[in-house]
Amino acid sequence: MPLLPANYLPANALPPVFDVDQRYSVDLHMHSTASDGALTPTELVKLCAERGLTHMSLTDHDTMDGVDEASAAAEQAGLCLIPGCELSTRWQGINIHVVALMPGGLQGPLVEGLKQQREARIQRAEVIAERLEKMGLPNALEKARAQAGSDRPLGRPDFARALVAEGVVADWAGAFKRYLGSGKKGDVKAHWPEISEAVAWVVASGGVAVLAHPLRYGLTRRKRGLLMDAFQAAGGQSAELVSGQQNPDSTRDLARQLVERNLYASMGSDFHFPGSHAAPGSMSVIPRTAAPPIWQHSRLIHLRDAPSGMLGPGS
């Protein structure tokens, strides 16, 4: 796996503005085995260090269970870690994800919010298992649990691995294409909270709510703008300007939408497992834009020049 490009900025040089087209040694959206990632939090931190990252966030789906382990590993590796998670929400009947960057760690209303999310995931997994059993995967829940290797709530990727392991499909892509992808029988809609409720949890708990990968929802430009307006009205203050690899023209257009709303620009690879199209720090160039970097937010600005291994608020 290649290292980050040589033009990445060093740890103490995160800029106050994006005044050149550039890549940065920052990745604020990644997953571990605490949700549906393939690497443990420690393994993920080590990979981030190997790839030249200086600032990172662990943002597992609807949980912060891996943050303590990642924190210890980040201190050992000399990385600045921002605690976080990725919340599943709904807006106008569409599944929308919100990244919660939590410099103070898990606290406030988010504690109960994540308990609610965990229960929703457990109930959803049971329904997915029932449907897959009717389609030829006996004992689906147990087999998915074996793939997860822990007692965390199961997600569609765990069922996809089970389908592959049982020979029902040849690969991960086939599992989603036939059984688990959008509109398929295994695509069960959980009772996620409205985006306004989830954003309120984050903001009231001392965090910064970030609209995750706004270009991936298949929305028209106008409807994406309406989503961003609703998100902002709820208290959201940032959106991922870059999430993995994107079309440059689309990225520049998204940047204009952020500027129009005075939203901070965040970035992340949405890394889940080695060998995929994404890797820690692997994402498109951040374009020159007036949208301020996420680390300029008042709740995160101390992290811009944070010493290696710093976790949590402070200066």
Side-chain angles (χ1 to χ4, degrees):
M1 188 176 292
L3 297 178
L4 295 172
N7 64 345
Y8 268 48
L9 295 179
N12 61 352
L14 296 182
V17 296
F18 294 126
D19 57 359
V20 294
D21 291 359
Q22 179 66 286
R23 291 186 174 89
Y24 300 92
S25 54
V26 178
D27 193 329
L28 303 180
H29 186 161
M30 291 181 284
H31 301 272
S32 75
T33 51
S35 65
D36 59 348
L39 302 181
T40 66
T42 297
E43 292 169 338
L44 175 60
V45 171
K46 288 180 178 178
L47 180 57
C48 289
E50 290 171 4
R51 290 184 53 79
L53 289 178
T54 58
H55 295 69
M56 64 173 291
S57 183
L58 177 62
T59 58
D60 278 309
H61 292 285
D62 299 307
T63 182
M64 291 180 66
D65 286 352
V67 166
D68 286 346
E69 179 183 336
S71 172
E75 184 171 3
Q76 184 72 25
L79 294 183
C80 175
L81 176 80
I82 305 171
C85 62
E86 184 177 12
L87 298 170
S88 305
T89 79
R90 300 282 285 172
W91 174 76
Q92 294 190 3
I94 303 169
N95 284 346
I96 302 294
H97 288 179
V98 173
V99 167
L101 298 179
M102 305 297 300
L106 180 57
Q107 59 187 4
L110 188 59
V111 175
E112 289 302 316
L114 290 185
K115 289 180 181 178
Q116 176 181 316
Q117 297 290 84
R118 179 182 176 86
E119 184 58 33
R121 283 191 169 273
I122 291 172
Q123 294 175 3
R124 175 183 181 231
E126 291 173 350
V127 176
I128 292 175
E130 290 175 2
R131 294 186 180 183
L132 291 181
E133 286 178 358
K134 293 177 181 178
M135 293 186 286
L137 182 65
N139 301 315
L141 197 64
E142 292 80 358
K143 289 173 180 176
R145 173 63 62 203
Q147 292 298 319
S150 71
D151 62 355
R152 62 166 173 77
L154 299 172
R156 286 183 299 168
D158 301 307
F159 289 100
R161 295 185 187 103
L163 287 165
V164 173
E166 292 297 309
V168 178
V169 293
D171 52 30
W172 173 290
F176 276 84
K177 184 176 181 179
R178 292 179 56 188
Y179 297 100
L180 298 165
S182 179
K184 304 301 180 182
K185 288 288 188 179
D187 180 29
V188 176
K189 307 301 183 187
H191 296 294
W192 303 128
E194 289 297 313
I195 193 169
S196 56
E197 182 180 2
V199 169
W201 295 341
V202 177
V203 176
S205 301
V208 178
V210 181
L211 182 62
H213 38 68
L215 294 178
R216 293 194 200 169
Y217 301 117
L219 304 176
T220 63
R221 188 183 196 278
R222 177 182 175 279
K223 194 159 187 179
R224 186 168 64 243
L226 293 175
L227 166 61
M228 295 168 76
D229 290 341
F231 172 77
Q232 187 175 41
Q237 292 182 286
S238 176
E240 289 181 345
L241 177 55
V242 167
S243 177
Q245 302 302 320
Q246 297 177 182
N247 176 279
D249 290 337
S250 297
T251 302
R252 285 189 287 269
D253 186 51
L254 178 59
R256 286 190 285 270
Q257 290 187 298
L258 266 64
V259 171
E260 290 167 359
R261 294 164 176 80
N262 297 312
L263 291 171
Y264 291 85
S266 190
M267 64 192 75
S269 62
D270 199 5
F271 172 77
H272 282 76
F273 55 91
S276 67
H277 65 278
S282 173
M283 63 196 85
S284 297
V285 169
I286 298 290
R288 181 194 303 259
T289 176
I294 184 67
W295 49 82
Q296 290 295 105
H297 190 285
S298 60
R299 290 183 172 179
L300 298 173
I301 195 167
H302 64 282
L303 297 165
R304 189 184 70 193
D305 303 312
S308 296
M310 180 173 181
L311 173 69
S315 58

